[in-house]
Amino acid sequence: MPDTKTKASILVVDDNKITCEVIQRNLTSSGYRVFVAHSVTDAAAVLSHRHIDLLITDYKMPALTGLDMIKYARDHFQDLSIIMLTGYGSIKGAVSAVKQGADEYLTKPFTDKELMDTVEKCIKKYKERNIDPAVLYPDNWHRFGLIGQSRKMKALFSTMQKACENDATVLIHGESGTGKELVARAIHYNHKTRSGYPFIPFNCPGVPPSLFESELFGHVKGSFTGATKDTRGFFEASENGSLFLDEISELPFELQGKLLRVLQEKEFTRVGETRHKKMDVRIIAATNQKLEDLVEKGLFRQDLFFRINVINIEIPPLRDRGNDMLLLAKHFIVKFAKQLEKKEPALTENAIAALQNHAWPGNVRELENLIHRSLIMNEKAYLHSAVFPNAMKNTLCREKNLTLSLDEMTRKYVRDVVAHTCGNKTKALKILKIDRKTLLKKL
Ligand SMILES: Nc1ncnc2c1ncn2[C@@H]1O[C@H](COP(=O)(O)OP(=O)(O)OP(=O)(O)O)[C@@H](O)[C@H]1O
Ligand SMILES: [Mg+2]
């Protein structure tokens, strides 16, 4: 990774020339490129001529204030990171700064280390949300809509690659919304010989048992009431291609035997006919249940399980994919912004924190829907967690930073709750169940 320090450009806005100079000297000596402006108007001029990654602005300035500065920056340069400098004890200022779209605030007087830590944190966040397309789409699989860079997804991609090189039956297992169908399609459309032939999805629980055979194998005219013409089944429709048996665990027990026979003999018979037809179909099955458990309970045939479980693909839940969650969020922002003909909003620090703290029971589908909904509602140049639905707010806290002391952790949590309620202290007090004095002390 390139050295972030030599890359980042910072604009410092403060009417106090000495403050500007001190910050400039500190940051320049650490390798940053630093510009200064003494008013919002001057800052606007710098922003329109220079590429700036991080804006550090004072809160109190004559004429236009730091809040005006943030609003201007967010409206025109949504990808910027912003740090607001506030006076000692000005919780109100800090809260309105975060509400307006600042990523961080620093209370004066601050030490060099505090400044440096906050700047580094913001630059890191800036890199995270302005993900380079080469990072987002580094491999072949994004062509099929699959995004992922985590170790687990890379392992999945390598098993998928193997599945594209032969015709062995594939069994995909994953929680709801993890991308089972997407993976099945990607295997088919990347297959060395089958990609030019059909991919046919068949939803096992969607078919009444009485129609199962005629749906899968087809029927001839007059073979049963309602069979008015010869009809091809799903197997014939998938000839030379792939048949995707979705939610295979839901297949009634008696039908499992019929399916097994066809898979073993590689031939089937249309309902009402005696002639066997040979078939060349690749089977990809998916389930969100552990078939081994169903076999143990006697609900799924063991012989069918062995027959389909040749290449086993386990899709990890979103919560186990680390930073992939942000890559996916960014990917969906790009996708839906285009669809809705809106500018791509940047994720604020507090939106990133809300996404990272959520447990994602609905996996990628839940994230996709969340970003879609948020982009419909959002009219700003940045996406703040305030537009996220309440369900996100009752999220399981998955704090991974295990280096904080209990006191630091408590203060961090209090700040997160205040940011989460958009500065509404009454709401924050209700959640935290502490009194106002303690809240102010913690802040
Ligand atoms: N790795 C990924 N990259 C990009 N989009 C993804 C990824 N995984 C899933 N999606 C998207 O998430 C949504 C859900 O995926 P899909 O329908 O394949 O999940 P599923 O596991 O079949 O869900 P269900 O269990 O509900 O049937 C789809 O819109 C899909 O495009
Ligand atoms: Mg599915």
Side-chain angles (χ1 to χ4, degrees), residues 226-280:
T228 52
K229 57 179 174 55
D230 288 4
T231 306
R232 292 191 322 158
F234 279 74
F235 271 108
E236 264 179 288
S238 325
E239 185 62 15
N240 297 318
S242 311
L243 177 62
F244 176 53
L245 299 174
D246 201 4
E247 299 193 49
I248 193 154
S249 59
E250 302 302 308
L251 199 62
F253 201 80
E254 65 275 17
L255 302 179
Q256 292 172 16
K258 288 183 180 159
L259 179 64
L260 176 67
R261 208 166 320 120
V262 173
L263 297 186
Q264 263 163 356
E265 284 154 22
K266 293 197 166 48
E267 56 180 33
F268 62 92
T269 315
R270 279 185 179 181
V271 174
E273 221 175 30
T274 46
R275 198 158 46 96
H276 298 308
K277 277 186 193 294
K278 276 266 163 233
M279 62 172 198
D280 174 13

Side-chain angles (χ1 to χ4, degrees), residues 98-370:
V98 172
K99 220 163 150 181
Q100 195 73 261
D103 297 283
E104 287 289 334
Y105 59 85
L106 260 176
T107 313
K108 288 184 195 173
F110 45 83
T111 63
D112 292 353
K113 182 169 184 315
E114 279 170 336
L115 171 69
M116 213 52 75
D117 287 351
T118 314
V119 166
E120 273 173 17
K121 191 169 159 197
C122 276
I123 298 286
K124 189 168 161 268
K125 289 287 174 200
Y126 174 84
K127 301 274 170 204
E128 264 174 14
R129 65 181 173 219
N130 292 284
I131 292 157
D132 175 353
V135 175
L136 200 51
Y137 307 126
D139 54 42
N140 178 32
W141 296 102
H142 83 265
R143 292 192 290 125
F144 307 100
L146 270 166
I147 306 297
Q149 278 300 294
S150 57
R151 201 176 41 78
K152 288 198 174 177
M153 287 306 279
K154 282 189 177 151
L156 172 85
F157 293 157
S158 98
T159 317
M160 285 173 70
Q161 191 53 49
K162 293 217 170 70
C164 296
E165 289 154 14
N166 56 59
D167 289 332
T169 306
V170 180
L171 177 62
I172 304 174
H173 174 253
E175 288 178 14
S176 171
T178 45
K180 294 184 290 296
E181 180 155 355
L182 192 61
V183 164
R185 282 179 192 275
I187 291 174
H188 171 79
Y189 287 108
N190 199 36
H191 192 273
K192 62 182 171 84
T193 56
R194 296 189 179 271
S195 57
Y197 294 93
F199 172 88
I200 306 284
F202 179 80
N203 187 28
C204 296
V207 181
S210 58
L211 291 180
F212 178 78
E213 280 176 276
S214 89
E215 287 278 315
L216 269 185
F217 313 135
H219 57 257
V220 291
K221 186 177 168 186
S223 54
F224 55 89
T225 329
T228 52
K229 57 179 174 55
D230 288 4
T231 306
R232 292 191 322 158
F234 279 74
F235 271 108
E236 264 179 288
S238 325
E239 185 62 15
N240 297 318
S242 311
L243 177 62
F244 176 53
L245 299 174
D246 201 4
E247 299 193 49
I248 193 154
S249 59
E250 302 302 308
L251 199 62
F253 201 80
E254 65 275 17
L255 302 179
Q256 292 172 16
K258 288 183 180 159
L259 179 64
L260 176 67
R261 208 166 320 120
V262 173
L263 297 186
Q264 263 163 356
E265 284 154 22
K266 293 197 166 48
E267 56 180 33
F268 62 92
T269 315
R270 279 185 179 181
V271 174
E273 221 175 30
T274 46
R275 198 158 46 96
H276 298 308
K277 277 186 193 294
K278 276 266 163 233
M279 62 172 198
D280 174 13
V281 173
R282 201 287 163 82
I283 302 294
I284 306 178
T287 170
N288 55 18
Q289 305 222 37
K290 275 237 166 267
L291 286 189
E292 294 91 323
D293 295 348
L294 298 184
V295 168
E296 212 159 88
K297 287 185 191 141
L299 297 171
F300 199 85
R301 288 182 68 128
Q302 190 177 42
D303 43 10
L304 179 59
F305 169 61
F306 288 144
R307 180 67 195 75
I308 55 176
N309 188 29
V310 183
I311 298 181
N312 186 282
I313 293 190
E314 182 69 38
I315 310 190
L318 185 56
R319 62 183 170 278
D320 291 347
R321 296 190 208 173
N323 215 27
D324 276 3
M325 194 270 305
L326 284 181
L327 288 184
L328 280 160
K330 180 73 186 174
H331 166 73
F332 292 132
I333 288 177
V334 173
K335 172 175 154 183
F336 291 117
K338 205 176 276 169
Q339 216 176 74
L340 297 164
E341 295 181 356
K342 287 184 167 180
K343 260 186 145 181
E344 289 163 28
L347 288 166
T348 63
E349 165 118 349
N350 114 334
I352 291 177
L355 295 175
Q356 282 171 333
N357 284 336
H358 188 54
W360 301 109
N363 291 297
V364 186
R365 181 179 295 110
E366 183 186 358
L367 175 63
E368 184 174 16
N369 290 343
L370 173 86

Side-chain angles (χ1 to χ4, degrees), residues 40 59 63-74 84 100:
V40 174
Y59 181 59
L64 297 172
T65 68
L67 289 184
D68 299 313
M69 181 73 252
I70 297 179
K71 184 161 178 1
Y72 176 82
R74 281 287 173 237
M84 170 78 106
Q100 195 73 261

